[in-house]
Amino acid sequence: DYIDKSYIESKYRMDKNNKVFYHQASTSAEHSSKNTDLVIDSFLSLPGKYNDYSLVISGQLTKTQRSKIMSVPRISCFDRLLSKKEIYKIFNRTGCLVSPSVKEGLGLAYYEANNFNCKIISTDHEPMNDLCDYPCSDFTIEEDEYMFPKVMVTKDSIVEQMIKYCEDTNGRR
């Protein structure tokens, strides 16, 4: 069991804000497979009526990504590797994990998100769609030598699912 259940107990519960999206960027800015650029662009493309939603990003960002979000107060970033305690605190406060990775597989983040009652936006492709609440169905697949296929989700598909999530949580904190 990789999840420290003590952080899920009520004494660690924070005030969950359903108006917060969370994205775990790559642990290496040079070798990103987490589609962070696409998540940032999708979030910035949300209609103005969703300006009360925010995006939290953890992980290593490129200089271009940092400069893109620097002037956007609704996006906050932990541009470093976080401890499990820090990640669990973010999950405790977050309503939705946005995880449209390029190399799709079922990562620990999906189980962590579920344990913290976070909704998940990801690709409508096995195995992620088993735990995904808001599946992005517009994507292409490139098979290669890797264990999991290379899956490219479209920005419009992510925006569509973000809007669905916003509509489902509108007015709820």
Side-chain angles (χ1 to χ4, degrees), residues 135-139 153-162:
C136 298
S137 58
D138 189 9
F139 59 88
V153 178
T154 64
K155 181 176 100 172
D156 289 343
S157 187
I158 296 172
V159 171
E160 176 186 354
Q161 296 308 314
M162 286 178 144

Side-chain angles (χ1 to χ4, degrees), residues 4-173:
D4 184 347
K5 301 288 186 185
S6 67
Y7 287 97
I8 302 172
E9 294 174 8
S10 61
K11 67 181 179 179
Y12 290 103
R13 285 276 178 218
M14 307 284 181
D15 182 21
K16 183 174 282 294
N17 186 346
N18 288 319
K19 294 189 174 189
V20 177
F21 291 102
Y22 177 40
H23 173 68
Q24 291 181 327
S26 183
T27 56
S28 168
E30 294 82 36
H31 297 74
S32 179
S33 64
K34 302 294 186 176
N35 260 332
T36 301
D37 284 318
L38 195 57
V39 171
I40 292 169
D41 291 343
S42 299
F43 179 76
L44 293 175
S45 296
L46 285 174
K49 69 181 188 175
Y50 303 115
N51 281 345
D52 55 339
Y53 284 78
S54 60
L55 173 64
V56 175
I57 302 171
S58 66
Q60 302 292 303
L61 300 183
T62 64
K63 288 181 182 180
T64 305
Q65 290 166 339
R66 282 193 299 272
S67 65
K68 186 184 287 189
I69 68 171
M70 189 178 294
S71 63
V72 183
R74 297 182 308 124
I75 300 177
S76 55
C77 180
F78 297 93
D79 193 9
R80 61 184 171 82
L81 298 177
L82 300 179
S83 70
K84 277 294 175 191
K85 280 185 180 182
E86 291 171 308
I87 290 171
Y88 291 167
K89 284 181 182 180
I90 293 171
F91 272 124
N92 251 332
R93 294 181 174 138
T94 301
C96 185
L97 173 69
V98 184
S99 184
S101 298
V102 173
K103 293 288 189 178
E104 290 292 2
L106 193 55
L108 183 58
Y110 291 84
Y111 294 106
E112 291 171 326
N114 273 338
N115 273 298
F116 287 98
N117 298 316
C118 294
K119 300 298 182 187
I120 300 170
I121 295 174
S122 188
T123 311
D124 190 9
H125 188 270
E126 294 179 328
M128 300 74 55
N129 56 2
D130 288 340
L131 294 175
C132 183
D133 302 287
Y134 295 90
C136 298
S137 58
D138 189 9
F139 59 88
T140 58
I141 299 175
E142 292 178 24
E143 298 292 339
D144 61 13
E145 305 284 324
Y146 188 69
M147 180 184 213
F148 299 104
K150 182 177 183 180
V151 180
M152 298 304 297
V153 178
T154 64
K155 181 176 100 172
D156 289 343
S157 187
I158 296 172
V159 171
E160 176 186 354
Q161 296 308 314
M162 286 178 144
I163 289 172
K164 283 182 182 176
Y165 172 79
C166 291
E167 291 298 318
D168 288 349
T169 60
N170 195 21
R172 287 188 284 143
R173 193 173 152 78

